[in-house]
Amino acid sequence: MDRLRIVGGNPLFGSVEISGAKNAALPILFASILSKQKSIIKNVPLLADINTTLKVLDSLGLKTLFKLDENTMEIDGSSLNAHEAPYELVSTMRASVLVLGPLLARKGIAKVSLPGGCAIGARPVDIHLMALEKLGATFVIESGYIEGKAPNGLRGAKINFPFPSVGATENTLMACVLAKGKSEIHNVAREPEIVDLAIALRSMGAKISGEGTSVIYVEGVESLHAMNHRVAPDRIEAATFLCAGLMTKGKVTVNGISAEFMTSALDFLTQAGAKISDTPTSITAEYVKELSPLIITTEPFPGFPTDMQAQFMALLTQANGNSIISETIFENRFMHVAELIRLGSKIKIKGNEAIITGPVQLTGAKVMATDLRASACLIIAGLAAKGETFISRVYHLDRGYEQIEMKLTKLGAKIFREKEK
Ligand code: EPZ
């Protein structure tokens, strides 16, 4: 297994290009199942989760081709000849459950392994199934598989979500576009990745409005032609680099993204004392004074994103005073705390609250990545720690960050990938 070795202490200066958003690319690639034609998707990030997605699409019979220019993915939906997403693939990437909506819409049948939990929580799919049942699907769950059927096709419906689940919104949206009649989905997720999926589906001829608000309206169509779409930039990757710049008392610009995607995170960085400036296609965060503590609660978009929680926690170990982070989206998303404590931070957990006392001088140590965003948090901490930090299990990191060592090295970081000794 690989590990990362980081020699801390170098301030980061410069600019870095932001890749396509993993959490937009995944549903958008699965949406290609909805068309019998060849879809073209640009700005797809080169990530382990994208490879897993391609394996799932291949297992369904779709022909996929990745071209390095513009990170373009070609997916030919004409050869769809199966309807099962196997356990081996779904257990490595729970987002494979996003084949449910498209397969039920296109074929009227789907068999998907129950995703199971992951490090950050139980991650049930009850809202996905509730919504798809409202559209006319029936489900049987046995031997760890969800078997869904819609022999007479899907019918539009009015659906109310108990919680604005991102994945459930995506599965439901991808089912509604080919359902007979109109659908209204209330209390849906409003994340930029949902908006990007809606734009991709509209490029196929789908009739959707309201994306980005709490109510999405869909008028089902008979069929969808090929998609032609460029994936939106990754706001979580961008926030990760801005935090890394501030953590090292430097100045980092992220290119290829606009501040509109990141209002909440940028407001908090400003409140902490960072100097934030932006253009229509870039954002700069500059360290100008000692950081002030923050009180953050993670919320569905447009609130503070749970996917930025770990990165901000690393940063707040340097703030002068007590910060509080409350995690309200996932039940177990503080596993990076124990690792940050190994680096010398002072953090106490009380229920779903973490109290971070700073500033502390972090010192390098051996630490272990536990999930994707925790990996990024440990990199940020290692960049500021005195001495060397070794991060094991970086396969977590490779799921969601494209060429992160190269991008950080370009900014002046001393970060090296090596074989676990
Ligand atoms: C998506 O996961 C993202 N993953 C996550 O990013 C992100 O943290 C999450 O949205 C929240 O923003 C992808 O887009 C691939 P949810 P998802 O359904 O869709 C509960 C990363 O680091 N819930 O909004 O699984 C669930 O247990 C990953 O990139 C139900 O109870 O998130 C959780 O507590 C991590 N029943 C909460 O809702 C359901 O049917 C949010 O889940 C569905 C969800």
Side-chain angles (χ1 to χ4, degrees), residues 22-23 123-127 165-167 307 329-330 333 373:
K22 166 180 86 83
N23 291 350
R123 316 281 301 264
V125 290
D126 54 311
I127 304 173
S165 153
V166 170
D307 289 350
I329 304 295
F330 290 105
R333 203 170 194 176
R373 305 307 171 182

Side-chain angles (χ1 to χ4, degrees), residues 162-343:
F163 177 84
S165 153
V166 170
T169 301
E170 291 161 348
N171 247 332
T172 307
L173 189 51
M174 291 190 284
C176 287
V177 293
L178 287 180
K180 292 179 191 69
K182 293 181 177 176
S183 298
E184 269 183 40
I185 323 157
H186 291 253
N187 194 28
V188 289
R190 299 170 53 190
E191 275 72 0
E193 293 74 33
I194 304 289
V195 173
D196 206 35
L197 173 61
I199 294 168
L201 289 167
R202 241 196 316 272
S203 81
M204 303 170 81
K207 291 181 179 167
I208 302 170
S209 61
E211 68 279 1
T213 74
S214 294
V215 187
I216 292 182
Y217 300 90
V218 182
E219 185 175 343
V221 293
E222 273 295 303
S223 66
L224 291 170
H225 53 71
M227 179 194 301
N228 191 339
H229 183 71
R230 179 180 174 76
V231 175
D234 194 321
R235 60 194 170 102
I236 310 297
E237 182 195 18
T240 304
F241 282 110
L242 295 179
C243 287
L246 293 169
M247 184 75 172
T248 58
K249 299 187 172 59
K251 178 179 178 181
V252 167
T253 295
V254 289
N255 288 325
I257 190 159
S258 93
E260 65 170 317
F261 288 114
M262 305 172 56
T263 313
S264 172
L266 296 177
D267 288 351
F268 274 113
L269 290 180
T270 304
Q271 193 184 324
K275 186 172 172 233
I276 303 290
S277 56
D278 69 293
T279 72
T281 58
S282 72
I283 306 167
T284 300
E286 182 179 7
Y287 182 90
V288 290
K289 61 183 175 181
E290 185 173 48
L291 298 177
S292 307
L294 295 172
I295 297 180
I296 296 176
T297 299
T298 64
E299 294 172 315
F301 195 88
F304 184 85
T306 175
D307 289 350
M308 295 184 191
Q309 178 253 103
Q311 299 91 312
F312 269 67
M313 190 181 291
L315 183 62
L316 290 170
T317 63
Q318 304 307 303
N320 183 2
N322 284 341
S323 296
I324 301 174
I325 296 183
S326 305
E327 173 55 60
T328 69
I329 304 295
F330 290 105
E331 64 267 32
N332 186 31
R333 203 170 194 176
F334 281 153
M335 282 166 302
H336 41 283
V337 170
E339 303 304 310
L340 284 173
I341 290 171
R342 285 183 52 73
L343 294 170

Side-chain angles (χ1 to χ4, degrees), residues 40-44 69-73 228-232:
I40 307 288
I41 303 129
K42 292 187 180 337
N43 200 32
V44 176
D69 61 304
E70 288 197 279
N71 280 28
T72 301
M73 194 79 75
N228 191 339
H229 183 71
R230 179 180 174 76
V231 175

